[in-house]
Amino acid sequence: MKPARLLLLLSGCALLLAPAVRGCGPGRVVGSRRRPPRKLIPLAYKQFSPNVPEKTLGASGRYEGKIARNSERFKELTPNYNPDIIFKDEENTGADRLMTQRCKDRLNSLAISVMNQWPGVKLRVTEGWDEDGHHSEESLHYEGRAVDITTSDRDRNKYGMLARLAVEAGFDWVYYESKAHIHCSVKSEHSAAAKTGGCFPGRALATLEDGARMPLWALRPGQRVLAMDGAGRPTYSDFLAFLDKEPRALTSFHVIETREPPRHLALTPTHLLFVAENASAPAARFRPTFASHVRPGHFVLVAAGGGGLQPAEVVGVRDRRDMGAYAPLTRHGTLVVDGVVASCFALVQEQHLAQLAFWPLRLYHSLVGWPGAQGDGVHWYSGLLYRLGRLLLPPDSFHPLGVPRAES
């Protein structure tokens, strides 16, 4: 194994064990003092969180083009009339109130945090959607995905903590950009760049061990779903967790269509499928391939009658939008979705490496059992592993959507 890949695997173990050590101490004893709430640490001037460039998958994702009032994408913007937020609106056009739903949700959450932190003080937005070209090229303000904020009293001593509250409110990238404001941005509502990895629509179906079919959004840890083992044979594998879970995300998917038998699988472009050039290849020789690279004439593996797997020719590839985006992880690193065998992994076109990198997470679940209800968003292990991979692996190891673009 190459040193960089070995280091990535060992780092993954360390990442997993660190929180496990913190979480495995004795529980609260009756009569003992309740632990104080976690202390929030203000961001320093010019600090940004997460510590990656804004327009990368680890943060808010790629720029997708300016939205104008007469463009088709203008309907993606929604006005924010929250009375607990002050909008500067110096253009007097209402533009600062327009934003994506994701940005609106995070901003409204932040407004509550601000009032709790400083009674009598409100959140203030100085810049929102920009239709006049006042920002740098490819600014996320042009898509309604970014806001510049202050407190209503304009007390600059509060801005470091305001930035921290924005991080806690769920903004995908927060930057203490200026002494005069904090810059916050979010992922796209619908593009694959909104995902840290690959996903399926929430209504896509997995097959349980009893033969029942269940939508991905309803899966619970410990359920066994139809998958494929390392030898290319069908098996039932434990569902462990969602590597990403966005129930309200309107996402763009690739739809892979086959015939004989007919199947339709929707998944994000960075997700891995098992593909061969001809139908005679054994299942174990189908290679992991990004969904965006699949073409008519390729062959994918599908579940067949009698519980086996068989090749099916791809006859069409198209795009569609759907609600909800889910990335399930199984013990075998594969699963059958809507009758087609897919990987649980994305971004890096190496199934074996990804399976090794997630070994510590599988071990963790084996030792401590199944967690409680999982929150929305990217699984912490998945997100941190991606950042490690960006440091340790060459850029050409990643799907193009996972490679940072130069900042303007």
Side-chain angles (χ1 to χ4, degrees):
M1 183 180 292
K2 294 182 179 180
R5 294 179 180 178
L6 178 60
L7 182 57
L8 179 62
L9 175 60
L10 295 176
S11 300
C13 295
L15 281 171
L16 189 66
L17 292 176
V21 170
R22 290 196 297 270
C24 290
R28 186 179 176 214
V29 179
V30 175
S32 66
R33 297 179 63 184
R34 186 180 297 274
R35 294 177 181 175
R38 181 170 61 91
K39 183 178 180 181
L40 297 178
I41 301 175
L43 264 66
Y45 179 57
K46 292 298 182 182
Q47 181 182 356
F48 44 87
S49 179
N51 190 28
V52 295
E54 180 180 28
K55 294 191 280 289
T56 60
L57 289 184
S60 292
R62 299 175 69 172
Y63 175 75
E64 296 184 352
K66 187 173 182 178
I67 295 178
R69 287 186 184 268
N70 61 354
S71 69
E72 174 68 19
R73 292 180 59 204
F74 183 69
K75 63 184 180 183
E76 296 175 13
L77 305 183
T78 181
N80 190 330
Y81 294 114
N82 189 334
D84 296 323
I85 304 175
I86 297 172
F87 291 88
K88 185 178 179 181
D89 194 20
E90 59 188 352
E91 299 90 356
N92 200 30
T93 61
D96 288 338
R97 292 183 180 273
L98 293 173
M99 58 196 68
T100 64
Q101 185 64 46
R102 185 181 182 90
C103 188
K104 180 179 178 179
D105 291 343
R106 272 56 176 179
L107 197 67
N108 289 344
S109 177
L110 177 58
I112 296 173
S113 299
V114 168
M115 291 188 295
N116 289 338
Q117 181 75 23
W118 302 291
V121 175
K122 290 186 175 183
L123 177 63
R124 175 172 174 261
V125 175
T126 61
E127 291 285 345
W129 173 58
D130 180 4
E131 59 180 330
D132 299 320
H134 293 158
H135 291 83
S136 61
E137 184 181 0
E138 296 194 353
S139 167
L140 298 186
H141 282 284
Y142 298 135
E143 297 183 62
R145 291 166 53 194
V147 289
D148 294 340
I149 58 174
T150 72
T151 54
S152 59
D153 60 2
R154 306 184 198 181
D155 180 356
R156 298 186 178 188
N157 293 322
K158 293 186 173 77
Y159 290 179
M161 181 56 73
L162 176 63
R164 173 56 61 191
L165 293 177
V167 173
E168 297 295 316
F171 278 97
D172 297 304
W173 199 72
V174 178
Y175 181 28
Y176 194 165
E177 182 177 34
S178 160
K179 292 288 188 180
H181 69 263
I182 305 299
H183 175 83
C184 311
S185 62
V186 298
K187 300 176 188 294
S188 164
E189 293 288 313
H190 58 79
S191 77
K195 314 310 301 169
T196 294
C199 293
F200 307 96
R203 62 178 177 173
L205 299 174
T207 302
L208 303 183
E209 196 165 18
D210 62 3
R213 304 185 76 194
M214 177 175 284
L216 297 184
W217 66 263
L219 288 177
R220 297 293 179 266
Q223 290 182 308
R224 291 170 62 80
V225 297
L226 184 60
M228 182 178 72
D229 66 16
R233 298 171 300 204
T235 188
Y236 285 94
S237 185
D238 293 329
F239 166 64
L240 303 178
F242 289 110
L243 299 182
D244 199 354
K245 178 184 175 186
E246 296 284 355
R248 292 173 294 277
L250 182 62
T251 305
S252 290
F253 294 98
H254 269 33
V255 180
I256 310 297
E257 301 179 356
T258 70
R259 67 183 175 200
E260 297 179 6
R263 299 286 187 269
H264 295 78
L265 174 67
L267 70 174
T268 47
T270 60
H271 209 103
L272 294 178
L273 274 177
F274 297 96
V275 176
E277 298 288 340
N278 57 71
S280 62
R285 299 298 297 273
F286 276 59
R287 66 184 185 279
T289 304
F290 292 127
S292 62
H293 295 172
V294 177
R295 299 288 182 267
H298 285 162
F299 288 82
V300 296
L301 289 170
V302 302
L309 302 177
Q310 69 177 64
E313 184 179 359
V314 176
V315 296
V317 179
R318 57 186 174 86
D319 293 327
R320 87 160 191 243
R321 293 187 184 182
D322 210 332
M323 185 62 66
Y326 292 77
L329 174 67
T330 68
R331 194 170 297 280
H332 286 81
T334 64
L335 78 164
V336 174
V337 178
D338 287 337
V340 182
V341 181
S343 170
C344 293
F345 307 120
L347 291 179
V348 177
Q349 196 166 299
E350 294 193 40
Q351 175 76 12
H352 182 63
L353 174 61
Q355 182 72 343
L356 282 176
F358 278 91
W359 171 80
L361 188 60
R362 297 194 300 276
L363 176 63
Y364 174 79
H365 284 291
S366 297
L367 295 176
V368 305
W370 312 114
Q374 181 177 341
D376 296 346
V378 177
H379 193 288
W380 68 268
Y381 185 82
S382 178
L384 290 177
L385 200 60
Y386 168 76
R387 294 176 200 171
L388 276 175
R390 292 292 311 138
L391 293 173
L392 299 175
L393 299 177
D396 60 5
S397 298
F398 292 84
H399 189 282
L401 285 176
V403 179
R405 298 180 68 180
E407 296 296 298
S408 57

